[in-house]
């Protein structure tokens, strides 16, 4: 879904998340494991402030596992607990409740000490930018299909708690926040991974960015996928070679650069080049 984030929308989204924070004990910050920094909201630390938080590196099934490991260590060094998960298959999702319990143990022990014999379930809110997998994770945790509300801040409905076992309750509407658009590279990474629609950025610009990135970090996969004996330095030449090999041609047999761009981005997003990570610690 394409969303236009205007300053007014951002302020409203921030306000909505801040309101929801009052209801919960812990935040599950969802990011894309392939781009754990680029898929974060730039104000997240300020917005979440003092709430306990777990960072969930979602779509870990599509990310480079070695890089994901590095990210988990990187965040640990900043006292942020991060878990690699795949909300689609459910891999890693069970850990979330265990880690949340551990994080909230001091709070619940205090409640017990105050004489509250049966502490209530932990209450959690999922926050993240559009398309990061918030609804998929809610459905996975809920064990059933919960209708998705529009990705537009301000679309409200009565909030409900979804029970996840006995120990966790999840707010059924996630907090939707905007990514860091003002950074050009962030925009290119969001577009490369398909987090933002292809109509927003120029397709060829995105593919140029992606191919240059692959040439540096994953040269062998690039060579293998497009049967290249070497990777030409000149990006136009690289487009030409891929285009000719894969038949992305326009009338008269000239290479159609839009078709090449589409092909490369589709290949990246459907893992034809394997599991890739575009942010690096
Ligand atoms: P949102 O609520 O945060 O906006 O995201 P949503 O759950 O709708 O997920 C966006 C897309 O990401 C969905 O694909 C969903 O299936 C996919 N997705 C979510 N979590 C994971 C994961 O852990 N691994 C993988 N591989 N995919 C995941 P979709 O509905 O098919 O949308 P699209 O493919 O047409 O963009």
């Amino acid at each position: 879904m394409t969303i236009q984030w205007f300053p007014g929308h951002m302020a409203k989204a921030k306000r909505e998340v801040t309101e929801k924070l009052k209801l919960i004990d812990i935040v599950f910050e969802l990011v894309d494991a392939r781009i754990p920094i680029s898929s974060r909201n730039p104000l997240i630390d300020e917005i979440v402030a003092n709430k306990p938080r777990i960072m969930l590196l979602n779509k870990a099934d599509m990310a480079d596992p070695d890089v994901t490991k590095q990210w988990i260590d990187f965040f640990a060094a900043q006292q942020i607990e991060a878990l690699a998960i795949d909300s689609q298959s459910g891999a890693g999702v069970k850990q979330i409740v265990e880690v949340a319990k551990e994080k909230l143990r001091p709070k619940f022990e205090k409640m017990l000490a105050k004489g509250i014999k049966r502490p209530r379930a932990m209450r959690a809110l999922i926050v993240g930018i559009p398309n990061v997998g918030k609804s998929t994770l809610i459905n996975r945790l809920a064990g059933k299909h919960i209708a998705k509300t529009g990705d537009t801040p301000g679309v409200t409905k009565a909030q409900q708690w979804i029970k996840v076992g006995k120990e966790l309750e999840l707010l059924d509407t996630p907090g939707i926040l905007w990514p860091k658009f003002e950074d050009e590279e962030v925009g290119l990474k969001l577009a490369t991974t398909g987090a933002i629609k292809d109509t927003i950025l120029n397709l060829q610009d995105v593919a140029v960015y992606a191919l240059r990135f692959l040439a540096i970090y994953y040269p062998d996969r690039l060579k293998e996928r497009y049967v290249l004996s070497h990777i030409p330095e000149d990006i136009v030449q690289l487009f030409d070679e891929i285009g000719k090999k894969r038949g992305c041609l326009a009338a008269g047999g000239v290479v159609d650069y839009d078709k090449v761009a589409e092909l490369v981005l589709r290949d990246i997003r459907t893992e034809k080049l394997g599991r890739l990570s575009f942010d690096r610690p």
Side-chain angles (χ1 to χ4, degrees):
M1 182 183 296
T2 312
I3 325 150
Q4 301 290 338
W5 289 93
F6 299 111
H9 289 143
M10 295 188 188
K12 194 162 185 192
K14 186 178 165 188
R15 221 163 35 235
E16 284 177 4
V17 170
T18 308
E19 276 304 306
K20 288 177 180 169
L21 288 177
K22 291 181 188 157
L23 308 172
I24 53 109
D25 303 302
I26 190 161
V27 172
F28 298 154
E29 181 192 357
L30 208 53
V31 296
D32 186 320
R34 297 167 295 176
I35 46 170
I37 298 296
S38 303
S39 59
R40 281 188 107 179
N41 172 271
L43 302 182
I44 190 72
D45 290 334
E46 183 192 309
I47 295 172
V48 170
N50 299 321
K51 283 280 171 191
R53 184 182 356 165
I54 303 173
M55 192 167 190
L56 303 174
L57 308 179
N58 194 39
K59 308 194 188 185
D61 54 304
M62 301 180 85
D64 185 330
D66 294 334
V67 181
T68 300
K69 242 193 237 139
Q70 291 171 29
W71 277 118
I72 289 173
D73 294 342
F74 171 91
F75 289 118
Q78 299 184 15
Q79 264 75 49
I80 298 177
E81 190 140 5
L83 297 175
I85 64 165
D86 166 1
S87 298
Q88 223 166 39
S89 77
V93 170
K94 276 218 176 89
Q95 292 177 84
I96 300 172
V97 180
E98 291 314 308
V99 174
K101 243 164 81 179
E102 207 43 55
K103 275 222 163 313
L104 292 174
R105 193 182 297 281
K107 179 172 179 173
F108 280 79
E109 276 175 0
K110 242 188 235 166
M111 284 161 75
L112 277 174
K114 277 188 190 157
I116 301 169
K117 289 236 169 53
R118 291 178 48 146
R120 57 173 174 75
M122 305 178 281
R123 290 189 172 154
L125 171 70
I126 291 174
V127 301
I129 66 168
N131 278 321
V132 74
K134 297 179 295 301
S135 304
T136 309
L137 178 60
I138 291 174
N139 287 326
R140 172 62 56 187
L141 285 168
K144 60 182 174 196
H145 188 78
I146 311 281
K148 179 171 174 165
T149 29
D151 261 348
T152 320
V155 179
T156 47
K157 59 166 184 142
Q159 284 177 348
Q160 288 181 24
W161 295 102
I162 298 165
K163 283 198 194 320
V164 182
K166 284 204 175 85
E167 295 171 304
L168 181 73
E169 284 176 7
L170 198 63
L171 214 50
D172 71 339
T173 49
I176 303 162
L177 292 167
W178 64 97
K180 194 175 173 193
F181 298 116
E182 54 286 3
D183 183 322
E184 192 192 350
E185 198 174 346
V186 166
L188 289 166
K189 288 180 183 187
L190 289 167
T192 299
T193 53
I196 57 178
K197 282 270 167 198
D198 284 342
T199 47
I200 293 176
L201 291 181
N202 178 291
L203 208 62
Q204 287 186 28
D205 288 346
V206 179
V208 165
Y209 171 80
L211 283 171
R212 286 202 168 121
F213 184 94
L214 294 173
I216 295 170
Y217 290 99
Y218 299 101
D220 293 340
R221 298 206 209 160
L222 191 57
K223 282 195 235 166
E224 194 189 324
R225 176 73 192 164
Y226 301 111
V227 204
L228 307 167
S229 54
H230 78 289
I231 301 171
E233 289 246 330
D234 181 49
I235 194 75
V236 179
Q237 220 178 316
L238 181 55
F239 265 68
D240 278 333
E241 282 208 27
I242 296 174
K244 280 182 205 144
K245 287 247 164 71
R246 303 302 297 271
C248 302
L249 305 174
V254 293
V255 170
D256 181 332
Y257 296 122
D258 274 336
K259 274 192 191 155
V260 176
E262 249 170 63
L263 172 95
V264 167
L265 293 174
R266 191 171 55 238
D267 282 354
I268 290 171
R269 293 171 191 164
T270 53
E271 289 178 271
K272 295 293 185 315
L273 289 113
R275 297 165 72 175
L276 304 170
S277 289
F278 294 90
D279 279 344
R280 308 254 155 174

